[in-house]
Amino acid sequence: MALLLIATAIFGTVAYFSKSFTSTGNTVQAAKFNVNAVNESGETIGDGQFSLGENFYPGMDPVKVYAFEIQKNDTKVPVEYQVDLIPSGKLFPANGNSPIVLSLERKVNGEWKEIDHTSTFKPTVDNEQFRIFARWPHGDNDINFQGKTGNLKLKVVATQVDEEEGPPYYTGSIAFKATPSGDIRTTANKEVNFYKNDQGNKVIEVKMGEGNGDFEKKVGNFTITESQEGGNTWYKVVTDHEYYAGPKVWKLTADRVNTSQAGVIDFRKDTNVYLTIESQQLYKWFTSN
């Protein structure tokens, strides 16, 4: 499957620059099959023999179907990106019961992180990179989708925005992997407050607002507090809901905090355990205090 980006520049008398890119009509073909496999009870299981090629079939390994990047080039005005991945057709019914699982990933601080199919954010690097994966896990109704087709529409909109004033300030993307074997939970556009407490230590507070996603339910509001212990500077993360393996303490020393990517603070407790926050205002305050 290939995606074709058609770029259209829009000019007019509006006060802001805006440019959109749309890719539609990208066909996904599910292979037909005539083999039936049953278990000991005579029930059909999600398995069968499919033809090869670019067809999708139950149990297939995840496949990268497209990769793209948004290039800022010499843009000087503040800009915001919106990325939409919109499936449609009989292979992707409106009720969301498609057997095909699509994943949209964005490269943040050198790591690929899954984001929502509709995401809005401000760029933190000149070239923002993305990729799309598709997989078909075994399911109870795989046979119902044999031979059906669907379309993928990819839409990218870049829009000029005002310079942010505040407070309040709002984050870009947030990613939290609390334990080595835990899930990566992500969210974005959350209110963030930052200040120094009476002891002169940094405090970062992130509020979920009225969101109702996985991050809001499983992590919730969280606070990062700086402290001085045993001759070291520590950062302790306390959340509303997240449960950590072992003692319920998630903290790291200051030397584990990575600020090498402008606009992103990476609290890297371990190689595969981290909390990253994207915010230009927070980054400027954190690195200058």
Side-chain angles (χ1 to χ4, degrees), residues 32-37 45-51 57-58 138 142:
K32 295 181 179 179
F33 73 101
N34 296 310
V35 176
N36 192 28
I45 62 175
D47 203 353
Q49 182 66 49
F50 286 76
S51 61
Y57 56 89
H138 288 293
D142 290 336

Side-chain angles (χ1 to χ4, degrees), residues 193 195 202-208 219-226 235-240 244 250 267 275 277:
N193 299 310
Y195 57 90
K202 299 174 185 175
V203 179
I204 302 170
E205 299 174 341
V206 179
K207 300 178 181 179
M208 295 298 103
V219 180
N221 301 326
F222 64 88
T223 301
I224 304 171
T225 305
E226 182 185 59
Y235 290 96
K236 180 180 179 181
V237 178
V238 177
T239 73
D240 281 351
Y244 317 123
W250 203 97
F267 295 90
L275 168 63
I277 306 174

